[in-house]
Structures are given as structure tokens and as C-alpha cells.
Amino acid sequence: MVFACNETLPRVLFPRKVPDNLNGCEIKLMAYLIPPYVLNISANREDPTVAGLEVTIMHIIAEELNLTERYISHNFTSWGEKLPNGTITNMFKALDDHDAELIFGMVPLNSPEDHEFESTLIHVTESLIWWVPMADHIPRWKRPMKLFHPQVWFLILASFPVNGLLWWLFGKSKETSDNYKVWYRSILASWRVLLQVTHAPPRYTVTRILYLFFAIFSLLIYTAHESVLVSTLTKPHHEHQIKTVEELLDSKLKYGFFPLIADSYNDSSNWIQREIRITAGYPLLEKFNELLLSMQANGLIGKWDKDITFNQAHKDESQLTALSIGHMALLFVNLLIGLTISFIVFIVEIILKRRKDKKCGKIKSYRLPFIQ
């Protein structure tokens, strides 16, 4: 080895001139507010408190190099541009005037001002994403109907009368019980099996086989229904959510985009790369690139991006929710409707009986069994 033969040669030919610990030196930052890269988490627009993906990245870099972050307040509505006369505007001008050492916030690669400044490594690559309003909540009284597709509901409701009629056809001459010898009683017996109500099975072999298969079918349907009923009542559910550009166009919603994006995308298949822009000849560029490369290689940038983007969408779902009257409203309404229909039928039966007795010349007084 050359170094072993000549100990006078330096071990490091190009030693680092910038130390790893900068002893809390201040770094002036300027961020363009654009979610989810840079967010204003305070109510003050003049002096915002920033957070977001690139704010997190800069905070980690500052901690690693022992830098003190100082964000420069501004009212710029864009990064800036280079005018035909050579004048640079907005945030790029602040960077050129050394009012800020570094700017970030969805700064694209390959802008006309690239030759004026230097850039870090590309840390985010993304495509065009349309953000649409969340679909309306499904009313609680409609949620139980959403447990199955309408076609499944139709097949379930059609299964018990069809099965009851089959019991009647095969068992009317063989069965001894009226539940299978009278067609409407056979349908009611099938309804009881579907609702998992205890019921005496038929005795004829063919009818028993039909009964067995329908009982298994009813058990599976009942289990599937009960397994998702509580979560359907307690968790928020939404109507159909727009997921494609075609659905967005068909929805007739008014849509728009940041003017800055128009120059970055030609169509929805294009990918755009993001970077951090710094002043030319910045001495910390190499260290910034090393830290960015390390964060990318360890998957930290992707994780922070998902944490920020989906933080509100995935809330804590482990808390127990007590079923309230609002959750159970549909059940009580069904009970009230059933009791009302039963009472009306009961009154109609009494009236018809009285009319029949009058026609036959029999006048009887009726006393309700619960009235003494």
C-alpha cells in the first residue's frame, strides 16, 4: 500500500472543512405554505407555526447538525420566477438577496431559476392527485340496509317463501304436522327457520333434507348479518366516494388547482420531483444531501408522508361506543310498525266477526281477555 510505504502522506486527501456539530448556529429558512409539505397549524397567518413533511425533514437535519431554525415570515404567493429582464421575484429573490439561506415547500426540479441557485438531492417524487370532498354520511336508519347488496337482500327475502312452498309440495301428502301440509303455514315455518327461531323439523326424508340445507343457509346468513351489524351502526359510513377522474367529471363538482401546478404537470401520468433550494456555493449542501439520502434509504420520508397525509383519516378506533337511541332507532321503528299493524289486524278481526254474527242473527258481546 502507498500509505504504508510513506507515512508522510496524509491519510485523508480531502478532509472535511465543515464540522458535524455547528454549536447551535442559526439557519434562516423560508417555507411556502402548501399541504402536506408545509402546513400552518396556528390561526395566525402573519406569523404561522409550520408543520408538514418538509418541515419534519428540516427539523431532523437541524437536530443532526445542531442548528437553530429560524423561519422568515413572508406574504409571497409563489416561489417566484425570473422575468425577461433578469429580475428574480418573491422567494427566489429573498434567497438571492441572502434574506434566507434555504427555501422549501413543493419546490419543483428544473425550473428556469436552477442556474441561479443550488439544490439538494430529490427527496420526494409524486404524481398528480385530486382531492375531493368526503362523501355524505349514510343516515343511521339506512345503514342496516347497506349490510348486503340489494340483490342479496332480494335473494334472502325470496328464499323463505320458495323454500316453504317446496316443503309444502313434498310434504303435504306425507307429513303429519299442519306446518307442512298447509302452504301458508309452511312458508311461516320457513320464515322462523330463517330467523333462527326454534321449530319442529319435518319427518318426511325429502322434506328433512330440504330443511337441513335451508337451516345451514339461514345460520350462515344470520352469522354474517350479526357479525357486521354493530360496527355498521356505530362506525361512520359514507355514500359512494369519488375515486377516479371519470367519476369526478360525472359528479359535476367544481374543481381547480394551484396555478403553480400547471407548469409542473402536463397530464395525470406525469411525475414531478421535489427538492430544497439553497444559495449557490452553500457549504452545508454536502451534509444536507447525506442526511436526505440516509432518510430516504431508511424509508423515513415515506413514513412521515403517510403519517401526515392519513393522520386524520385513521383515527383511534379502539374506543368502545355505547349503542344509543340514535343507533337503535330503526329497530324501535320496526317494532312500532309491527305492533301497529298487529293492533289494526286485531281490530279488523273483531269488526269482521261482529258483522258475521249479525248476518247470522247472532248478537254477542265481546269482552277483551285483559279487561275484567
Side-chain angles (χ1 to χ4, degrees):
M1 297 291 293
V2 175
F3 288 101
C5 296
N6 192 340
E7 296 182 356
T8 60
L9 291 176
R11 295 290 178 177
V12 180
L13 296 179
F14 303 101
R16 292 189 177 186
K17 298 180 180 179
V18 180
D20 294 330
N21 187 342
L22 297 177
N23 299 318
C25 292
E26 184 180 83
I27 180 172
K28 294 183 292 184
L29 310 174
M30 185 174 288
Y32 178 67
L33 295 175
I34 182 166
Y37 302 94
V38 183
L39 305 164
N40 181 11
I41 59 175
S42 68
N44 188 355
R45 294 187 177 183
E46 299 298 329
D47 187 17
T49 301
V50 293
L53 174 61
E54 291 188 323
V55 175
T56 301
I57 292 174
M58 285 308 308
H59 183 67
I60 296 298
I61 292 176
E63 279 191 343
E64 186 67 22
L65 299 179
N66 193 12
L67 291 169
T68 301
E69 305 161 80
R70 182 165 74 89
Y71 283 90
I72 308 299
S73 299
H74 64 87
N75 294 318
F76 299 137
T77 57
S78 68
W79 306 302
E81 60 180 341
K82 187 174 183 179
L83 301 177
N85 61 4
T87 304
I88 300 176
T89 63
N90 295 351
M91 295 177 66
F92 286 129
K93 185 177 188 306
L95 190 62
D96 188 54
D97 293 341
H98 300 283
D99 294 332
E101 302 174 52
L102 180 152
I103 63 172
F104 61 89
M106 202 179 174
V107 182
L109 185 66
N110 299 327
S111 63
E113 298 78 18
D114 278 352
H115 66 281
E116 303 287 343
F117 311 104
E118 292 193 57
S119 305
T120 62
L121 292 176
I122 298 167
H123 59 280
V124 175
T125 301
E126 61 172 5
S127 61
L128 179 62
I129 298 176
W130 292 95
W131 293 84
V132 297
M134 180 70 72
D136 293 335
H137 284 279
I138 300 176
R140 287 175 178 172
W141 66 271
K142 284 186 178 181
R143 292 180 190 175
M145 302 302 297
K146 298 290 185 178
L147 292 176
F148 299 117
H149 193 275
Q151 294 178 352
V152 177
W153 278 118
F154 173 78
L155 293 175
I156 292 174
L157 295 178
S159 65
F160 79 89
V162 171
N163 193 74
L165 291 175
L166 289 176
W167 291 354
W168 171 68
L169 289 173
F170 287 103
K172 62 182 179 179
S173 60
K174 301 289 184 179
E175 292 290 341
T176 58
S177 174
D178 289 341
N179 288 332
Y180 304 102
K181 297 178 70 174
V182 182
W183 67 271
Y184 64 86
R185 289 190 176 185
S186 184
I187 292 177
L188 290 177
S190 177
W191 174 247
R192 287 195 294 268
V193 173
L194 182 63
L195 297 180
Q196 300 296 292
V197 178
T198 304
H199 179 72
R203 295 184 179 276
Y204 182 50
T205 303
V206 176
T207 314
R208 277 199 168 196
I209 293 175
L210 293 175
Y211 181 93
L212 175 63
F213 280 103
F214 187 70
I216 295 174
F217 164 80
S218 301
L219 177 63
L220 295 177
I221 291 296
Y222 182 82
T223 304
H225 180 272
E226 291 298 311
S227 62
V228 296
L229 179 60
V230 175
S231 63
T232 300
L233 291 174
T234 55
K235 294 181 180 178
H237 293 266
H238 302 270
E239 300 287 355
H240 177 71
Q241 181 65 51
I242 297 174
K243 295 181 179 180
T244 64
V245 176
E246 290 74 16
E247 292 180 351
L248 175 62
L249 296 175
D250 294 338
S251 67
K252 308 301 181 182
L253 287 175
K254 294 182 179 180
Y255 53 88
F257 51 86
F258 285 104
L260 300 173
I261 298 179
D263 298 330
S264 302
Y265 299 98
N266 293 323
D267 55 64
S268 58
S269 62
N270 279 357
W271 290 81
I272 195 69
Q273 297 168 323
R274 304 299 179 188
E275 60 188 5
I276 298 172
R277 201 65 56 86
I278 58 179
T279 55
Y282 196 64
L284 298 180
L285 176 60
E286 182 180 354
K287 291 185 177 295
F288 281 8
N289 286 336
E290 289 178 357
L291 293 172
L292 286 172
L293 186 61
S294 177
M295 285 185 274
Q296 284 181 327
N298 288 280
L300 295 176
I301 294 180
K303 177 189 179 300
W304 295 330
D305 187 19
K306 290 181 179 179
D307 288 345
I308 294 171
T309 304
F310 299 102
N311 183 43
Q312 296 299 322
H314 299 277
K315 294 182 179 179
D316 184 15
E317 300 178 352
S318 62
Q319 297 180 356
L320 295 177
T321 302
L323 294 177
S324 63
I325 295 296
H327 295 122
M328 310 297 291
L330 180 62
L331 305 181
F332 287 107
V333 169
N334 287 337
L335 176 61
L336 181 61
I337 293 174
L339 293 175
T340 303
I341 294 175
S342 300
F343 182 75
I344 294 174
V345 172
F346 174 67
I347 297 299
V348 170
E349 286 181 346
I350 293 178
I351 295 173
L352 293 177
K353 180 65 175 175
R354 288 179 64 89
R355 287 184 178 181
K356 182 178 179 182
D357 290 344
K358 286 182 179 180
K359 287 182 180 181
C360 296
K362 299 177 181 180
I363 305 297
K364 292 179 69 175
S365 63
Y366 291 90
R367 182 183 293 275
L368 299 177
F370 49 83
I371 299 178
Q372 300 298 329

